[in-house]
Amino acid sequence: MSNEYYLKNPLIHGDRQLARQSSAWVSQFDCSHMRPLIICRGPIRKEAIDVFREMGIRHIGILLSEKDSIVYQNALAPELRVMPDPERIHRVPDYTGANKEERDQRIQQIIGIARDNGYNSIFAGYGFMAEDETMVAAMEATGLNFIGPCSRTVHDAGLKDEAKRTALKTGVSVTPGIDNATALTLLKRHPDHAALAALIQAEGLPLEPESLDPELEAAADQVLAASYSKGVDLYTVDELSETITEAVLRMSEEYPSNRVRLKAISGGGGKGQRILGIGEADRAGEMVREILNEVKTTGVGDNKNVLVELNIETTRHQEIQVIGNGIWSMSLGGRDCSLQMHEQKLLEVSVTLDSLALALEEAKAQGNSTEAAVLEQDVRTLAQMEDEAARFGEAVGLDSVSTFECIVDRDKHFFMEMNTRIQVEHRVTELCYALRFSNPENSEDHFVVESLVEAMVLLAAHGPKLPKPHRVPRYNDSVEARLNATNQALQPSAGGVIEYWSDAIEGEIRDDQGISLHNPDTDVFMKYTLAGAYDSNIALLLTVGNTRLDCYQRMAETIRQTQMRGKDLATNLEFHYGLVNWFLGQNINARPTTRFIVPYLTAVGELKREALDIDLEHAWRELSRLEIEAAGDEQDTSLASTLDLKHTLLLRPMELLLEQPHLLSGWLSIHCDSYTMINGRVSWNDNPIELLADLYHFLNMDYLPGAPAAGMIWEHDHDILREAQAFYGKLEELLPAEDWLAMQTQLSESVAPEGVALSPEEWAAAQAAHRGYQSGCSILSILPAIAEATAYFSLCVNDDLSIDIPDRLNDPELQTAMAKVLVPPPVAKSDEILAASGGMFYGRETPESPLFVEKGDHFDAGDPLYIVEVMKMFNKVYAPFAGTIEEVLVDGDGMIISKGQPVFRITPDEKIVVESPEEIAARRRAATARYLDQL
């Protein structure tokens, strides 16, 4: 079978059966008696199946939602390929239900499935109800072993308001804000203990008035908890919105330069969060409703509390992995998750004391005192966060794995929340540290755990008996790229079909739900349709290294060699390739904030906008003509023939680079030092022939005999390039030139340098060959010229490792415009508005709210038109221009729409002018002429 690096990667697979160990102390921790039902989806489901089997667990079942296959009929869970027993596959309408009533029904349905099919434990991974206190408590009440934190921990740490209160009690710094908006809302109606006691009696709440906390706000929280238990509402969403608006106004007065973040207490994974811009307090009510809809807490009796927090504008998002057994708690290093967009993480990198120490040592050795000072502070900050995380874990009785999330602002850090579940990015940690559990009476008698999922099972099965382990270093660094079904602007793009995905390479860790499992009979890739009912994640790609540089280089190589093809398929693979190479070209120790990605995308959009205006064929014809004219009559014929031979050699990779702005971004980033601007023109510091060879390699177009010609350098082009490289390799041996500039200077002389054993005839022949090999290569200068035209390199890393983001890249109008450049809206008739993405259509804010627009309504540019739910996020779509609704073309809320589908028939206020093909061609030739002047 092929794909061995996927199937048998020793970094993530191994024998975990403790019953096989000769030590009686070790074998007592065998977990083969566990019979888990897996009630989550995504890469963690396949990972859990693998780990459970490696632990000797055989009785395994999975919960399968019908929602994916309803939305996209060909979407099937790839894990079914490793679940041969259909009796172990249990179907439900969806995982959580649309409201509290359905959610309670689903919990009982899961308990029934477990009871009827012999499961004794539940694994919820990192999705849906993993942090649902009600569900965990229900599982515990029926005797099921929940593989994760217990209900007490979920309540004290998982609910964001409770977690902040616990943090304050344990001396952990927290973000400024309010965590009890619902209590403050209740106290407006019932302002003292007597009023609260009367409310308890009037509503028949399961709470004794005498037990009310002396502190008024705490007493209000007690009353609210009792109301949730009974399933009644004591306040309206309008009243809550009013309280939150008042809090936002107060915070805006106190911190006028900061935005304000609203966050549902039960959110996670980017759901249930909104940021109010400066001066947008009047939108707080609207945002509260969006948040409650997104986390599905709009039902009667739901806890609708929403946190109001100061948004730290220069924040880095870091988190500490914590593990405990209810008695002891310890940390396992950190992860930097700052590279995210719309609260969705994209690239996560490990943060460990060992890695920071190595980086600090290197910075000092190179005399980078400013960078060294930043790294020293990072060492102190990480140590403090790890200490706080372990103490917080003990305070909440952590008896499994959780994540202590913080925001870091220079030398300060603030506790944000604890996620009482395993995280998507947990492998980043487990690749850096393993856990060694040792016999307290004999330290040589031990076993090592390299999987956090394995650790969760051990803690669920044997928690109190497990001694506090020691963390054992594995690799200094690891990095994870989330491969998502998103377009070039990182907008969700569901419903595509993966028809081919190249095998994993050595050093690549690929968690992909089982998509890469080949047909067992033919050993070929099987098609997979991307579902859109939940999140956009396809796979997690990870690499490790002894330094962060090594780690990033391996990630770049992994993505370089990855090939993925399909129908209507859009992923962020090219984005990751560009981003990783941006850091390799700048500084892999850079400290990006959570606001980096959008400006970066905007810069990439500027590259594409400039590239779209270049007519490469026109440029080639003009440059060829100019070179032939400059050569004179004697060389006219031979040079024309040479240029004709090199036409595809030079233009094929350039065309691909100009069509793919993320690839252009990456290539420019790692070659930022390969040229110098002299008098407004590009002067190469490196041999263009070597840059061309590197470009083919960068694009994964190296020559492979027998491979399809469409994906590699063509054979005759390969021969020319190989001959040119051999020629310059020989010259490097002959000429006393330190670099390309020196070699060029020597080759321009009429005689060979002193000591070079070449006759005048041989020297003339070498010069002629040099001119021939360099002919046409000036067209490569268009690439850095694009970077100069867009000021691309003004987005750069400073000496203190912060990132300098030019003001223009923070301009919301430019950001919106460049997103449309990266992904042009569907071509519509002048009287239509088309769906920008597929998903579930909603024409109103909430079920009780009026429609955004109806037939006959006039709308202005920027007005909300509808909401589309795609890949777990609710995205509000705004009008691109002003006009009048003539007809709504979607039948109603909850209907499935596809990308490019007409949603409204409209009459625009202004006639849309479409540029003709002739006008486009003329514009591109004019723009290209400006570049030719620089070459």
Side-chain angles (χ1 to χ4, degrees):
M1 294 287 286
S2 63
N3 216 7
E4 290 298 296
Y5 293 121
Y6 173 76
L7 297 170
K8 300 178 181 179
N9 192 327
L11 289 171
I12 58 173
H13 294 297
D15 185 355
R16 310 178 196 274
Q17 297 189 51
L18 298 183
R20 295 179 175 180
Q21 302 300 311
S22 58
S23 162
W25 184 84
V26 173
S27 62
Q28 71 174 312
F29 296 110
D30 170 52
C31 294
S32 58
H33 64 284
M34 299 287 277
R35 301 189 299 278
L37 173 64
I38 302 170
I39 63 170
C40 56
R41 66 181 299 281
I44 189 65
R45 180 160 63 190
K46 169 67 165 53
E47 179 187 346
I49 293 171
D50 289 343
V51 171
F52 293 166
R53 287 176 174 170
E54 290 164 1
M55 295 179 75
I57 298 171
R58 294 290 174 261
H59 192 100
I60 304 168
I62 66 172
L63 203 64
L64 194 64
S65 165
E66 296 172 356
K67 190 173 180 181
D68 273 340
S69 56
I70 291 172
V71 178
Y72 296 104
Q73 296 181 6
N74 294 317
L76 294 175
E79 297 90 344
L80 297 181
R81 301 168 183 174
V82 294
M83 296 290 292
D85 186 352
E87 294 184 359
R88 295 284 171 246
I89 300 164
H90 310 282
R91 288 174 169 80
V92 293
D94 65 14
Y95 293 99
T96 61
N99 51 43
K100 184 177 185 297
E101 183 181 2
E102 286 188 16
R103 191 162 62 250
D104 291 342
Q105 291 174 356
R106 193 72 66 249
I107 291 170
Q108 293 306 313
Q109 187 176 5
I110 292 170
I111 291 172
I113 290 171
R115 181 182 58 246
D116 296 342
N117 294 276
Y119 301 109
N120 62 10
S121 50
I122 301 293
F123 181 78
Y126 46 64
F128 310 107
M129 295 188 284
E131 297 178 272
D132 189 314
E133 177 195 355
T134 302
M135 187 198 72
V136 178
M139 301 296 170
E140 293 169 345
T142 56
L144 288 169
N145 193 339
F146 185 73
I147 303 174
C150 64
S151 57
R152 177 223 159 178
T153 299
V154 173
H155 178 271
D156 291 354
L159 295 178
K160 294 175 176 57
D161 49 359
E162 291 290 340
K164 290 192 76 170
R165 295 164 198 163
T166 304
L168 287 168
K169 292 175 184 176
T170 54
V172 173
S173 58
V174 299
T175 315
I178 66 166
D179 54 34
N180 62 344
T182 47
L184 297 175
T185 301
L186 184 66
L187 289 172
K188 287 182 179 180
R189 280 194 190 182
H190 312 279
D192 53 36
H193 280 81
L196 291 174
L199 178 63
I200 292 171
Q201 297 291 345
E203 295 289 343
L205 300 180
L207 177 67
E208 295 298 327
E210 299 78 20
S211 66
L212 285 175
D213 194 290
E215 202 278 312
L216 186 59
E217 291 180 8
D221 278 324
Q222 288 178 286
V223 174
L224 288 168
S227 74
Y228 303 144
S229 176
K230 186 175 179 181
V232 297
D233 279 344
L234 302 181
Y235 54 87
T236 67
V237 173
D238 286 342
E239 291 170 335
L240 175 63
S241 298
E242 181 182 321
T243 300
I244 289 174
T245 300
E246 293 167 357
V248 171
L249 286 168
R250 287 195 302 271
M251 193 167 292
S252 298
E253 291 176 3
E254 191 172 353
Y255 303 96
S257 300
N258 288 71
R259 298 177 297 166
V260 177
R261 181 185 296 269
L262 305 182
K263 185 163 58 177
I265 63 165
S266 57
K271 292 182 67 174
Q273 299 192 42
R274 295 292 188 275
I275 295 178
L276 287 167
I278 295 171
E280 291 187 343
D282 60 333
R283 296 190 65 202
E286 171 193 349
M287 295 296 102
V288 168
R289 288 176 175 80
E290 286 188 14
I291 287 169
L292 296 179
N293 278 333
E294 200 161 84
V295 298
K296 295 180 171 60
T297 54
T298 57
V300 176
D302 284 346
N303 185 344
K304 301 177 180 66
N305 198 14
V306 173
L307 275 65
V308 182
E309 293 182 344
L310 184 71
N311 193 64
I312 308 298
E313 299 298 332
T314 56
T315 178
R316 287 154 54 203
H317 180 171
Q318 294 199 354
E319 56 191 32
I320 306 298
Q321 181 65 59
V322 198
I323 186 170
N325 75 338
I327 302 168
W328 51 260
S329 174
M330 63 181 288
S331 62
L332 289 172
R335 301 182 289 257
D336 193 305
C337 306
S338 303
L339 292 169
Q340 55 182 261
M341 183 175 172
H342 305 319
E343 313 299 333
Q344 297 293 301
K345 300 169 186 174
L346 295 164
L347 192 78
E348 298 117 331
V349 61
S350 60
V351 183
T352 67
L353 292 173
D354 294 330
S355 175
L356 288 172
L358 281 174
L360 177 58
E361 181 182 342
E362 183 178 356
K364 288 180 176 179
Q366 295 178 351
N368 297 332
S369 58
T370 303
E371 182 171 331
V374 173
L375 291 167
E376 285 175 339
Q377 178 58 53
D378 281 353
V379 170
R380 291 191 292 270
T381 298
L382 177 60
Q384 291 168 0
M385 289 192 297
E386 289 207 62
D387 175 65
E388 290 179 3
R391 287 193 284 110
F392 187 88
E394 289 186 9
V396 298
L398 178 63
D399 57 352
S400 187
V401 303
S402 289
T403 305
F404 184 84
E405 303 213 14
C406 298
I407 51 179
V408 179
D409 183 12
R410 299 180 182 88
D411 61 341
K412 298 181 179 64
H413 68 277
F414 304 94
F415 169 69
M416 188 164 56
E417 63 192 35
M418 175 171 267
N419 286 327
T420 52
R421 55 174 167 81
I422 196 163
Q423 291 280 88
V424 174
E425 61 273 17
H426 65 278
R427 282 214 198 270
V428 172
T429 291
E430 67 183 39
L431 290 166
C432 291
Y433 291 114
L435 293 165
R436 186 177 68 230
F437 291 89
S438 300
N439 186 338
E441 298 179 1
N442 178 10
S443 61
E444 296 300 315
D445 189 10
H446 67 270
F447 62 95
V448 175
V449 173
E450 294 183 341
S451 161
L452 285 173
V453 171
E454 179 185 5
M456 292 175 73
V457 178
L458 281 162
L459 287 163
H462 305 290
K465 292 194 299 181
L466 283 166
K468 185 175 182 178
H470 293 89
R471 66 184 194 186
V472 181
R474 296 182 70 189
Y475 290 89
N476 288 331
D477 288 275
S478 64
V479 65
E480 174 180 282
R482 297 197 189 189
L483 179 60
N484 295 335
T486 56
N487 60 28
Q488 299 291 293
L490 302 189
Q491 300 157 343
S493 181
V497 180
I498 303 175
E499 296 177 333
Y500 172 77
W501 190 351
S502 55
D503 290 350
I505 66 170
E506 184 176 6
E508 173 188 351
I509 299 163
R510 183 188 296 179
D511 280 334
D512 69 348
Q513 312 171 53
I515 298 171
S516 292
L517 290 168
H518 288 186
N519 185 308
D521 298 320
T522 62
D523 192 26
V524 297
F525 183 85
M526 294 184 284
K527 292 181 181 179
Y528 178 67
T529 300
L530 298 171
Y534 299 110
D535 62 42
S536 63
N537 186 239
I538 300 171
L540 309 171
L541 307 178
L542 296 102
T543 54
V544 297
N546 290 320
T547 66
R548 184 173 287 190
L549 176 61
D550 183 25
C551 198
Y552 271 63
Q553 287 174 335
R554 292 184 183 187
M555 178 59 73
E557 180 62 13
T558 293
I559 300 175
R560 186 190 74 82
Q561 293 195 45
T562 298
Q563 297 180 45
M564 184 179 281
R565 300 189 298 272
K567 179 183 178 183
D568 298 326
L569 180 64
T571 76
N572 63 350
L573 191 65
E574 292 87 358
F575 159 80
H576 278 303
Y577 195 35
L579 183 68
V580 170
N581 278 291
W582 188 89
F583 281 99
L584 286 170
Q586 290 280 339
N587 187 332
I588 42 83
N589 290 319
R591 299 306 191 238
T593 72
T594 52
R595 301 185 72 180
F596 170 74
I597 289 297
V598 174
Y600 170 78
L601 278 179
T602 304
V604 175
E606 289 182 319
L607 290 177
K608 182 175 181 180
R609 180 175 61 180
E610 201 71 18
L612 286 172
D613 274 345
I614 293 174
D615 185 334
L616 208 54
E617 287 289 348
H618 176 68
W620 175 256
R621 289 192 298 270
E622 288 298 299
L623 284 173
S624 296
R625 180 181 61 80
L626 292 170
E627 284 197 28
I628 291 170
E629 289 178 359
D633 294 339
E634 293 181 4
Q635 299 185 37
D636 186 302
T637 304
S638 61
L639 181 56
S641 176
T642 299
L643 288 167
D644 187 53
L645 286 172
K646 297 178 73 173
H647 175 258
T648 56
L649 170 66
L650 286 157
L651 264 60
R652 278 189 72 225
M654 288 188 66
E655 286 171 348
L656 180 56
L657 209 58
L658 295 183
E659 290 169 0
Q660 297 285 345
H662 289 295
L663 303 187
L664 178 58
S665 167
W667 190 85
L668 288 170
S669 296
I670 58 175
H671 290 291
C672 58
D673 295 327
S674 295
Y675 75 98
T676 303
M677 295 300 294
I678 300 176
N679 297 325
R681 296 192 175 190
V682 174
S683 175
W684 290 111
N685 302 325
D686 297 317
N687 188 344
I689 291 296
E690 293 302 330
L691 291 172
L692 181 60
D694 177 79
L695 177 54
Y696 273 101
H697 181 72
F698 179 85
L699 297 173
N700 197 26
M701 294 176 69
D702 296 316
Y703 181 72
L704 294 172
M712 68 174 182
I713 185 173
W714 289 344
E715 186 171 3
H716 62 273
D717 291 335
H718 171 65
D719 291 341
I720 295 171
L721 185 58
R722 184 176 55 181
E723 291 170 5
Q725 288 181 286
F727 168 75
Y728 286 108
K730 185 66 175 177
L731 279 186
E732 286 177 3
E733 296 175 5
L734 292 172
L735 300 181
E738 295 181 355
D739 54 30
W740 172 242
L741 296 177
M743 180 179 285
Q744 281 184 294
T745 300
Q746 291 174 4
L747 285 166
S748 67
E749 300 294 337
S750 58
V751 295
E754 185 177 348
V756 175
L758 289 177
S759 67
E761 292 78 13
E762 290 172 326
W763 180 246
Q767 290 178 308
H770 168 63
R771 287 192 296 270
Y773 287 128
Q774 292 298 316
S775 62
C777 287
S778 57
I779 198 167
L780 291 170
S781 298
I782 285 178
L783 302 177
I786 291 174
E788 294 296 322
T790 63
Y792 176 70
F793 293 118
S794 61
L795 179 69
C796 60
V797 178
N798 298 316
D799 290 343
D800 66 356
L801 300 180
S802 64
I803 296 178
D804 187 15
I805 301 177
D807 290 342
R808 76 177 194 282
L809 298 180
N810 282 316
D811 178 5
E813 290 187 7
L814 181 65
Q815 291 174 348
T816 300
M818 291 306 97
K820 291 180 179 178
V821 168
L822 288 171
V823 184
V827 178
K829 299 177 183 177
S830 60
D831 64 345
E832 290 179 340
I833 288 181
L834 306 184
S837 70
M840 192 169 288
F841 174 92
Y842 298 97
R844 64 192 85 217
E845 194 83 63
T846 67
E848 300 80 23
S849 301
L851 291 166
F852 289 120
V853 290
E854 297 182 73
K855 182 178 179 179
D857 285 352
H858 181 271
F859 58 88
D860 291 320
D863 284 352
L865 297 178
Y866 65 97
I867 290 171
V868 59
E869 181 186 6
V870 55
M871 294 178 163
K872 85 175 182 179
M873 302 300 288
F874 284 74
N875 303 293
K876 191 175 290 184
V877 179
Y878 297 92
F881 49 79
T884 301
I885 301 291
E886 301 297 339
E887 186 179 0
V888 179
L889 302 175
V890 181
D891 288 341
D893 291 342
M895 299 299 295
I896 301 302
I897 58 175
S898 57
K899 181 179 179 180
Q901 173 182 332
V903 178
F904 302 103
R905 188 167 60 82
I906 57 96
T907 298
D909 286 359
E910 298 180 9
K911 184 178 180 181
I912 300 173
V913 179
V914 179
E915 196 176 17
S916 70
E918 293 78 14
E919 290 170 328
I920 293 173
R923 172 172 51 77
R924 295 185 70 207
R925 283 194 297 270
T928 304
R930 293 195 296 272
Y931 276 93
L932 295 177
D933 291 340
Q934 297 180 45
L935 308 187

